[in-house]
Amino acid sequence: MERVKNVVLAGLVLLSLFLSWQLMTYQPQYDYLTQDHYDQLEGLAESKEWQELFKPHLVVFHLAQEIRAAPPSTHAHQYVVRQMGQWELEPLKPVRADRRSEWEAALGQSEGIEFHFWQEQPLEIVLRLFKVQDEDGVDWPLLEGESSMVTVRRILLFQDPRFENEVSLIMVQADGELLESRVANLSWRELNTLIKLGKEQDRYLSLGTEDEALHASAHYVPDGPVIMEEMHYRYKRIPIHHMLSYLFVDPSLVRRIEEKGNTILYLHGPRGVQVDRNYTTMSYFHPPLDQADDRQGQDTVDPVRAVQFVNQHKGWDREFLFDQLRITYGDQLVQFQFREYLGTYPVYSESGVRLSTLNIDLKLGRVVGYSRSLLQRGEMIESYTHELPSGAEVMDALKENGINLSQIRLFNLGYKQAVEGSLLKYEPCWVIELMDGKRWLITDVAHLGRNAA
């Protein structure tokens, strides 16, 4: 009997050792999940390539006796801009006085294409719309001593007056000075094929040019009465915890702080998000590190970095186009402003409200600020047809009101955005902005000057 007990005890010891070894060497069986099975927030929208956001606001076709134009979202605009991305430019150079007179004489009689921007664009941004000659993106056809101060609003493509089958490119600076280049891989025959697309587009007028073909302040408006739809959409607010999850690695560490007035702060160390109490707009800030830690000498005008930041934080919830760049040289601060579009027209908010723009602030290549609306456009509830006065009527009304036409920076169609109850309303209007920053959103010329935004 004693022998049996010893055998059983030895067996239990061996079993214990075996089970202990199993526990120590156990390898669990894992199932590999694809990315779409992970538990994560759905996100606000799809990512965008930077080329989708940085493009001309209007493609203008200069035909023999008329002007036609294609706004964004039209087939002609998309096709021509896509071709533009394949063109290689030779180095830019200033246009001499005698060469300028040749161009002005030729442009009054020739056909060509113009890429038009609502606001002045920095030269280094405009050049990114063309194909670079070096795969590393460093061999730009820049001017010697070129700086971010050089801005461009119009790009003209016409047959070179001196060479029968060559296409020259003219960039009109904000001060009226001209830069000249050639498109190395575009023939006149190929350009003429693109020009033919313009014959199917709507007629436009050129206002405010005073018969000077290369004047920097040309404004292109539809010819004749303008019919547009006023549209009302339901909206919903983006939950603030969604934005905190996109902007901070560990949202559980974010502290909510009530502030005096109309704002609430969410802080995570030195970073934070400021929102209004109605959760209509938000502003993210990330103070820069010490100067010693910053990457000195990095190109601060980096559109790719700005777009990537919004992509990473699920920000493109509607159609946007790059609107303008603001640079504060003393602080080395660069702000990219993207404007909401509804169909083919830009959207402008009422005075004191910033619902129609998305801003990214960079300092020495780092994102230090991000502001946007927290209202998402939902289903359309109703729409109404509006007839706006023609561009010529509005221009005449401006003259009658003593407005100096040379002081008009912006003159185009758009939408005036307003929040009423649970609706986002988009009302068609003429957008007029002066050099001093004053802006009018005009639905009736009788109201000119009364509703500056």
Side-chain angles (χ1 to χ4, degrees):
M1 191 68 180
E2 190 68 25
R3 185 177 180 181
V4 172
K5 289 182 179 179
N6 290 336
V7 171
V8 172
L9 183 59
L12 291 174
V13 171
L14 291 174
L15 179 61
S16 176
L17 291 173
F18 174 74
L19 292 176
S20 298
W21 177 80
Q22 286 277 52
L23 288 173
M24 295 175 63
T25 61
Y26 175 68
Q27 296 289 335
Q29 300 297 314
Y30 292 97
D31 289 329
Y32 291 92
L33 300 178
T34 57
Q35 180 71 30
D36 57 358
H37 287 98
Y38 292 169
D39 184 18
Q40 61 179 353
L41 293 173
E42 181 179 353
L44 302 179
E46 297 294 330
S47 297
K48 288 184 179 291
E49 298 293 333
W50 74 271
Q51 292 91 340
E52 300 177 66
L53 297 153
F54 291 82
K55 53 188 177 184
H57 300 130
L58 200 65
V59 176
V60 182
F61 298 89
H62 293 266
L63 306 179
Q65 302 295 330
E66 61 185 3
I67 295 174
R68 294 179 180 259
S73 301
T74 60
H75 168 72
H77 184 284
Q78 293 172 344
Y79 182 78
V80 175
V81 171
R82 191 162 55 246
Q83 297 300 311
M84 179 186 188
Q86 300 302 315
W87 296 337
E88 297 178 358
L89 300 186
E90 295 181 358
L92 291 166
K93 58 184 179 181
V95 175
R96 302 190 311 269
D98 60 329
R99 181 73 164 155
R100 178 172 182 138
S101 60
E102 287 183 4
W103 270 110
E104 290 178 346
L107 294 182
Q109 306 170 6
S110 305
E111 295 187 346
I113 291 178
E114 175 181 344
F115 299 102
H116 190 81
F117 301 93
W118 299 137
Q119 305 275 5
E120 292 83 6
Q121 307 294 312
L123 178 63
E124 52 193 302
I125 294 288
V126 171
L127 289 173
R128 287 176 180 263
L129 302 178
F130 298 90
K131 185 177 180 180
V132 295
Q133 298 176 359
D134 189 296
E135 292 183 357
D136 295 329
V138 295
D139 188 18
W140 297 102
L142 296 174
L143 289 166
E144 291 185 8
E146 180 271 328
S147 70
S148 300
M149 294 295 291
V150 178
T151 57
V152 173
R153 187 167 179 180
R154 304 173 65 194
I155 304 175
L156 305 169
L157 276 174
F158 280 80
Q159 183 177 6
D160 194 299
R162 298 184 180 182
F163 304 96
E164 183 175 346
N165 195 42
E166 291 191 12
V167 176
S168 282
L169 178 144
I170 297 292
M171 292 188 179
V172 184
Q173 297 184 55
D175 58 5
E177 295 300 316
L178 306 181
L179 302 176
E180 182 178 15
S181 177
R182 284 187 186 166
V183 184
N185 58 343
L186 178 67
S187 68
W188 166 245
R189 182 177 180 181
E190 292 169 324
L191 179 62
N192 196 46
T193 301
L194 297 177
I195 292 173
K196 291 179 180 179
L197 289 174
K199 297 179 179 179
E200 302 173 1
Q201 308 309 309
D202 293 334
R203 291 175 180 268
Y204 273 63
L205 293 175
S206 176
L207 299 177
T209 61
E210 301 178 357
D211 298 325
E212 188 176 351
L214 295 179
H215 194 279
S217 299
H219 304 288
Y220 297 106
V221 299
D223 184 12
V226 180
I227 306 297
M228 292 175 62
E229 293 288 320
E230 176 179 341
M231 287 172 275
H232 298 175
Y233 293 84
R234 289 197 188 279
Y235 71 83
K236 59 180 181 179
R237 285 181 170 82
I238 301 169
I240 190 61
H241 70 271
H242 281 202
M243 295 306 303
L244 298 180
S245 297
Y246 298 139
L247 293 167
F248 303 113
V249 175
D250 189 353
S252 65
L253 299 179
V254 174
R255 294 179 297 129
R256 184 179 188 272
I257 300 177
E258 297 280 347
E259 282 201 328
K260 294 180 180 179
N262 193 40
T263 59
I264 300 172
L265 270 178
Y266 294 86
L267 295 179
H268 186 294
R271 295 182 294 170
V273 171
Q274 186 178 49
V275 299
D276 63 289
R277 292 187 180 275
N278 295 324
Y279 289 90
T280 301
T281 59
M282 60 148 275
S283 179
Y284 164 80
F285 56 89
H286 186 181
L289 303 175
D290 293 336
Q291 291 295 324
D293 296 329
D294 284 326
R295 291 163 286 183
Q296 298 291 343
Q298 178 172 335
D299 180 15
T300 56
V301 183
D302 185 1
V304 178
R305 178 72 188 97
V307 174
Q308 285 177 343
F309 183 86
V310 184
N311 284 340
Q312 293 164 2
H313 301 94
K314 313 292 184 182
W316 305 116
D317 60 324
R318 62 194 78 176
E319 287 301 314
F320 285 90
L321 279 184
F322 175 63
D323 187 49
Q324 60 181 310
L325 187 77
R326 298 188 181 97
I327 301 178
T328 306
Y329 289 97
D331 296 330
Q332 295 180 298
L333 186 68
V334 178
Q335 183 182 78
F336 290 86
Q337 178 172 285
F338 300 89
R339 182 165 299 281
E340 177 187 351
Y341 267 67
L342 182 59
T344 60
Y345 299 107
V347 178
Y348 296 83
S349 300
E350 294 180 317
S351 177
V353 181
R354 295 184 178 181
L355 295 177
S356 56
T357 57
L358 185 154
N359 296 326
I360 297 291
D361 298 335
L362 285 86
K363 185 169 184 176
L364 296 171
R366 292 180 61 252
V367 174
V368 297
Y370 170 39
S371 59
R372 56 161 297 134
S373 167
L374 289 175
L375 301 184
Q376 280 187 294
R377 197 166 63 216
E379 62 176 327
M380 187 174 70
I381 301 301
E382 54 192 357
S383 63
Y384 305 94
T385 300
H386 282 262
E387 180 174 337
L388 297 178
S390 68
E393 289 180 71
V394 177
M395 186 64 77
D396 290 340
L398 289 170
K399 294 177 182 178
E400 291 175 3
N401 280 269
I403 303 298
N404 186 345
L405 300 186
S406 65
Q407 294 302 306
I408 298 177
R409 172 187 293 166
L410 184 66
F411 182 26
N412 64 284
L413 289 167
Y415 284 101
K416 180 171 64 175
Q417 183 188 61
V419 180
E420 292 188 13
S422 61
L423 297 180
L424 268 177
K425 295 187 175 182
Y426 294 83
E427 183 182 3
C429 63
W430 282 103
V431 182
I432 300 164
E433 184 175 304
L434 303 182
M435 295 295 183
D436 61 6
K438 183 182 295 183
R439 179 188 295 156
W440 292 307
L441 305 179
I442 304 299
T443 55
D444 186 334
V445 292
H447 300 155
L448 186 61
R450 298 182 188 176
N451 55 342

